[in-house]
Amino acid sequence: MANKEDSSALSQPSLLELCTLQGIENISKSKTADVDFASLEPRLQQLLFGKLRTENERLRGIEKQWKILTRSCPHIDLQMHLSRDRIEHDSGDDEENGYNQVENFSFQWSYHPNQHDIANADGDEEQTGARPTDAGADIAQGEGSEREGNSRPKPLSNTRWHHHDLFSKSLDSDLVLCTHGFGSAECSCRMERYSQLLEHVSSQLLLYRICVVFGMPPPLENDGYKTCWDVDLFYHDGVSKLSFYDYKGAASARFSGTAEASVNSLKLLNFLIGMNCPHTYDGIVAGTAA
């Protein structure tokens, strides 16, 4: 018993050692650390160097974990938790304000649970581009069509794109549409190290933000294997459709409709994957907690 007590007493640092360690701590944080280090006796220099080496090893471990995280986690999923800025509720007519953009996009885009072609499509969607809800100009029968007392013709549905046609030159810039057709001979996007949709936002965050902006979408019929959620939004022109969906765990999107709606659909997509997309509560960014 006495030996245990003696051993315990020997393991406790003395007052001198505690003062020495505190002095080293202060020197390591000092703006004049280089001069202070040179003035220390060799024993204290060795203690300080050992402390810095231990701290360096700890920081290397954190850096290694951070690199793994940034390689696997989409950009906006990280940025939400690195910034705690809020979005102002009362911003007048500021078109860039997140809440005003929600109001504008909610007016321009909507979903209609009873207007989907749910015929099964054969083959790999990523290879063929076919999806059960890809019905082109027939996607919104009745929306914008000639009605009694309304003879305005439908606009021409002549624009299509897929999430593979989108790229950005950095993770901090907006996604844009490749004008050559992604993967064509004239296109250099695949050879350049450009970012795609799945690197900007995760599947789960994209779905959550669609729910925040447009309300909880109704479930659509899908294969329940490669695709686990699927949301179709219809533009107010009656012929254009923007589809968001999960494909093998990645956020995916495709569009068919008019050139005007295509431009607006890219604005909506970049809004959904940016830091200006607000939750309904008190200006917090959608995806973060108050």
Side-chain angles (χ1 to χ4, degrees):
M1 186 69 176
N3 289 338
K4 289 185 178 179
E5 290 179 354
D6 292 342
S7 176
S8 176
L10 290 173
S11 66
Q12 297 298 320
S14 66
L15 180 58
L16 177 61
E17 289 173 327
L18 288 173
C19 291
T20 301
L21 292 173
Q22 184 60 51
I24 290 175
E25 179 76 16
N26 293 339
I27 289 174
S28 65
K29 296 178 180 179
S30 172
K31 293 181 179 180
T32 58
D34 292 345
V35 176
D36 294 339
F37 179 82
S39 66
L40 293 175
E41 59 183 77
R43 183 181 66 86
L44 295 179
Q45 288 182 345
Q46 187 176 6
L47 284 173
L48 179 56
F49 183 77
K51 175 180 174 59
L52 294 177
R53 185 173 60 183
T54 301
E55 179 65 10
N56 185 56
E57 290 176 356
R58 186 183 71 86
L59 293 176
R60 283 180 179 275
I62 294 175
E63 183 181 30
K64 183 179 180 180
Q65 291 178 327
W66 178 254
K67 286 181 178 179
I68 294 173
L69 179 63
T70 53
R71 281 198 300 266
S72 60
C73 187
H75 179 67
I76 198 63
D77 295 61
L78 283 174
Q79 293 304 310
M80 288 190 313
H81 300 289
L82 296 176
S83 173
R84 302 301 296 173
D85 294 338
R86 296 203 173 200
I87 301 167
E88 292 185 15
H89 249 297
D90 301 319
S91 60
D93 298 327
D94 181 10
E95 294 183 356
E96 298 300 317
N97 175 263
Y99 285 101
N100 290 340
Q101 290 191 65
V102 167
E103 184 176 348
N104 291 335
F105 286 128
S106 297
F107 172 76
Q108 293 165 334
W109 296 89
S110 60
Y111 63 81
H112 307 286
N114 297 322
Q115 294 179 348
H116 304 291
D117 176 10
I118 58 175
N120 291 325
D122 296 326
D124 190 333
E125 178 272 328
E126 292 293 284
Q127 298 296 324
T128 66
R131 285 179 64 243
T133 54
D134 187 17
D138 297 327
I139 55 177
Q141 294 294 337
E143 281 288 321
S145 62
E146 293 187 10
R147 296 181 181 136
E148 188 175 345
N150 180 11
S151 59
R152 186 175 63 181
K154 286 184 179 181
L156 182 63
S157 175
N158 59 1
T159 304
R160 290 174 180 267
W161 53 256
H162 187 272
H163 59 89
H164 285 317
D165 301 315
L166 306 174
F167 73 96
S168 64
K169 293 189 176 182
S170 77
L171 288 171
D172 293 314
S173 58
D174 285 348
L175 286 166
V176 295
L177 189 62
C178 175
T179 55
H180 296 295
F182 205 70
S184 67
E186 297 84 5
C187 173
S188 63
C189 303
R190 282 195 185 278
M191 290 182 277
E192 298 287 346
R193 182 59 186 93
Y194 291 151
S195 303
Q196 293 187 272
L197 175 60
L198 62 86
E199 296 173 276
H200 281 263
V201 67
S202 66
S203 167
Q204 59 268 27
L205 180 58
L206 179 59
L207 174 59
Y208 174 76
R209 288 187 163 187
I210 292 171
C211 294
V212 169
V213 175
F214 296 99
M216 180 63 72
L220 297 185
E221 183 173 320
N222 52 58
D223 63 10
Y225 176 54
K226 294 178 181 178
T227 298
C228 63
W229 65 263
D230 194 342
V231 176
D232 290 344
L233 299 176
F234 296 95
Y235 197 57
H236 59 63
D237 61 12
V239 298
S240 302
K241 181 182 73 172
L242 175 61
S243 300
F244 295 107
Y245 56 102
D246 172 285
Y247 187 78
K248 297 181 179 179
S252 305
R254 67 185 298 115
F255 170 86
S256 64
T258 65
E260 175 192 335
S262 177
V263 172
N264 193 273
S265 67
L266 283 174
K267 291 181 180 179
L268 172 57
L269 176 57
N270 283 306
F271 171 70
L272 290 171
I273 65 173
M275 286 295 289
N276 199 31
C277 184
H279 189 275
T280 53
Y281 176 76
D282 201 28
I284 62 172
V285 176
T288 62

